[in-house]
């Protein structure tokens, strides 16, 4: 089962800054246990996490195979090596909340 940490607080307290700091720290080798880190803005989520990764993080002309990357991320062997940082989960649109895979 994946480990989860939830950061809660009133608007303006620095939750988004903390999410960005976590991603920045990973990029500077502070979290070497993770091979990949994905910082996703939930307010912009319109479908599932796979789509959000490609829409928010990768350029349109990327050579990375969507299905290949998603298959890698779903493999139980590698799940402990991937960190998903979901910023603004409370801002997830109600219609997306019902259909998205982010809540599961």
């Amino acid at each position: 089962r994946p480990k989860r940490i939830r950061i809660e607080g009133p608007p303006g307290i620095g939750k988004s800054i903390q999410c960005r700091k976590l991603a920045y720290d990973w990029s500077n080798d502070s979290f070497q246990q993770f091979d990949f880190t994905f910082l996703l803005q939930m307010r912009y989520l319109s479908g599932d996490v796979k789509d959000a990764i490609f829409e928010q993080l990768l350029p349109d002309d990327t050579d990375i195979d969507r299905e290949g990357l998603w298959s890698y991320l779903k493999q139980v062997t590698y799940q402990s090596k991937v960190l998903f940082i979901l910023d603004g989960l409370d801002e997830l649109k109600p219609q997306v909340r019902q259909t998205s895979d982010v809540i599961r």
Side-chain angles (χ1 to χ4, degrees), residues 31-63:
F31 298 112
Q32 294 179 356
Q33 69 267 36
F34 299 111
D35 291 341
F36 294 100
T37 293
F38 298 97
L39 172 58
L40 300 172
Q41 305 294 322
M42 294 294 97
R43 75 184 72 150
Y44 302 119
L45 187 75
S46 58
D48 59 24
V49 172
K50 177 174 60 172
D51 291 338
I53 290 170
F54 282 86
E55 290 169 3
Q56 294 183 31
L57 303 176
L58 299 173
D60 291 336
D61 62 348
T62 186
D63 290 335

Side-chain angles (χ1 to χ4, degrees), residues 4 16 20-21 32 45-46 58 74 78 84 86-87 89 101:
R4 294 181 176 93
S16 292
R20 288 185 201 125
K21 172 100 170 65
Q32 294 179 356
L45 187 75
S46 58
L58 299 173
K74 286 183 7 180
Y78 301 117
F84 283 97
L86 308 177
D87 183 25
L89 192 57
D101 59 347

Side-chain angles (χ1 to χ4, degrees), residues 8-104:
E8 292 186 49
I13 200 167
K15 299 177 301 291
S16 292
I17 297 294
Q18 182 62 43
C19 289
R20 288 185 201 125
K21 172 100 170 65
L22 287 169
Y24 174 81
D25 287 347
W26 172 80
S27 72
N28 287 299
D29 293 330
S30 292
F31 298 112
Q32 294 179 356
Q33 69 267 36
F34 299 111
D35 291 341
F36 294 100
T37 293
F38 298 97
L39 172 58
L40 300 172
Q41 305 294 322
M42 294 294 97
R43 75 184 72 150
Y44 302 119
L45 187 75
S46 58
D48 59 24
V49 172
K50 177 174 60 172
D51 291 338
I53 290 170
F54 282 86
E55 290 169 3
Q56 294 183 31
L57 303 176
L58 299 173
D60 291 336
D61 62 348
T62 186
D63 290 335
I64 296 173
D65 173 51
R66 247 181 223 242
E67 295 306 319
L69 175 60
W70 192 244
S71 176
Y72 171 84
L73 295 175
K74 286 183 7 180
Q75 291 180 29
V76 174
T77 307
Y78 301 117
Q79 286 183 359
S80 64
K81 297 176 184 267
V82 178
L83 174 62
F84 283 97
I85 303 170
L86 308 177
D87 183 25
L89 192 57
D90 58 326
E91 299 174 34
L92 196 61
K93 297 172 192 154
Q95 65 271 23
V96 175
R97 184 177 292 273
Q98 292 176 0
T99 61
S100 176
D101 59 347
V102 78
I103 302 298
R104 291 182 219 140

